[in-house]
Amino acid sequence: MDDGGPKNIKSRVRLALRAERAMGLSTLPIRLRGAGTDIPRDAPVAPAADVAPERATPPATAPAARPVPAAKPPQPARKPAKTAVNLFGAATASDFVMPSDPFTSAVLPTDGKTVALQTLDATYVKGCTRCRLHESRTHTVFGEGDVDAQIMFVGEGPGENEDLTGRPFVGKAGQLLDKMILAMGLTRQRVYIANVVKCRPPNNRQPAADETATCTPYLVQQIETVRPKVIVTLGLPATQFLLQSTLPMGKLRGQWQAWRGIDVMPTYHPAYVLRSYTRQVREAVWSDLLLVLDRLKLPRPGPRAE
């Protein structure tokens, strides 16, 4: 059998073209070597059975695989956010946390303020051991006065007499403060008095920074409960805490400031007035107190504190 003849070659080419057409390949003319003729790829091809194509079917292009996101590393469990402790619930002093947004709670009625302050004192302050000042105290000194007062006086801390009695400003400095309040046409019972720290610092020294930071949440809660219209800070430690300022008292006193929406008037501490006992210092304090009366639209009385 002659396998190299032109007829046999043409037959083989037609079979190959048929296979290529079945695979969807492009149709281009092809010259048959040795046949002396051109046969287009789309020429009719006689059917033939069981003929394998001469070219392998190209693999279909698979769609690009979508990248698989990397697995996130396991996240540590989030600690629950601290919230304000309910003063009427069970908690310890170490759990006491101030609200993060002051002045957002509803204004308490007078009875509610009284209960809230009594609970704060009895539950948290009296048994507080959060700083070293508790080691030498006789009594804690919470504060006292009118829970609806327009004016709140804030000092730095208890002295010896306050430590013995558990009441704020009852020594010589307290007696002068009483005269200052009377000179304003008010009484001690119509204002509220408190300190930055609730325990006496040894030898009546100024409270240390860590002692102040530990104790001031109690003061903040007192202010938020009473909500006075004016705070009079007595002395540098109380003024610097509320105003977060490092300026000296001479530059701060007599200048209106603000603490969380409440007007603040810094003035000298009565103990400093007693130590200096100069007319200039007394007149400066009296001038500051007159500004407070003017801000509250209260009448200016004639007598001055001496």
Side-chain angles (χ1 to χ4, degrees):
M1 181 175 180
D2 185 7
D3 293 332
K7 292 183 179 180
N8 193 30
I9 293 174
K10 290 180 180 181
S11 176
R12 290 172 58 190
V13 170
R14 287 193 180 94
L15 292 175
L17 291 174
R18 182 176 180 275
E20 290 180 1
R21 290 181 60 193
M23 291 185 291
L25 300 177
S26 60
T27 59
L28 293 174
I30 183 170
R31 181 175 294 277
L32 299 178
R33 293 181 181 179
T37 183
D38 291 334
I39 301 178
R41 288 191 175 182
D42 55 355
V45 180
D50 302 327
V51 177
E54 292 185 353
R55 298 185 183 181
T57 304
T61 304
R66 301 183 65 179
V68 179
K72 294 183 179 180
Q75 300 295 322
R78 298 182 63 181
K79 295 181 179 180
K82 290 184 177 181
T83 56
V85 173
N86 182 354
L87 297 181
F88 306 98
T92 63
S94 61
D95 295 328
F96 181 61
V97 180
M98 290 306 305
S100 57
D101 296 319
F103 297 95
T104 56
S105 57
V107 178
L108 292 173
T110 301
D111 290 345
K113 290 181 179 182
T114 300
V115 172
L117 292 172
Q118 289 175 347
T119 304
L120 177 63
D121 184 19
T123 306
Y124 300 100
V125 175
K126 286 187 182 300
C128 182
T129 58
R130 300 177 68 193
C131 79
R132 56 184 170 273
L133 291 183
H134 81 278
E135 298 171 358
S136 58
R137 76 182 177 215
T138 304
H139 295 98
T140 56
V141 181
F142 182 72
E144 64 182 30
D146 185 358
V147 298
D148 293 318
Q150 295 188 77
I151 305 174
M152 185 171 184
F153 291 91
V154 178
E156 70 179 62
E160 181 179 7
N161 291 285
E162 290 77 14
D163 177 64
L164 293 174
T165 62
R167 297 182 58 211
F169 283 90
V170 293
K172 290 183 179 181
Q175 294 170 11
L176 178 56
L177 178 61
D178 288 346
K179 292 180 180 180
M180 292 161 56
I181 294 171
L182 288 172
M184 297 173 72
L186 303 170
T187 63
R188 187 181 176 106
Q189 290 71 32
R190 291 184 59 189
V191 301
Y192 196 89
I193 304 173
N195 284 302
V196 171
V197 296
K198 309 306 182 189
C199 298
R200 178 195 179 193
N203 301 317
N204 291 348
R205 64 166 172 77
Q206 287 189 358
D210 61 321
E211 297 164 350
T212 299
T214 300
C215 205
T216 45
Y218 301 136
L219 173 64
V220 172
Q221 186 65 61
Q222 287 175 290
I223 297 173
E224 290 185 349
T225 302
V226 176
R227 295 196 182 188
K229 293 183 177 179
V230 172
I231 299 173
V232 179
T233 54
L234 303 171
L236 190 58
T239 301
Q240 287 184 334
F241 163 68
L242 284 181
L243 302 184
Q244 295 296 294
S245 172
T246 58
L247 292 175
M249 197 64 199
K251 292 185 178 295
L252 292 171
R253 63 139 296 268
Q255 305 295 322
W256 281 110
Q257 308 286 344
W259 182 86
R260 299 182 181 180
I262 298 179
D263 292 329
V264 176
M265 173 54 65
T267 194
Y268 293 118
H269 194 284
Y272 175 76
V273 178
L274 290 174
R275 289 196 303 270
S276 63
Y277 206 74
T278 64
R279 184 179 185 85
Q280 182 180 6
V281 172
R282 295 199 309 273
E283 288 182 346
V285 173
W286 179 238
S287 174
D288 299 340
L289 297 181
L290 289 178
L291 291 175
V292 172
L293 293 177
D294 292 344
R295 181 59 61 96
L296 296 174
K297 295 182 169 51
L298 296 175
R300 284 190 173 197
R304 296 184 304 178
E306 296 292 342

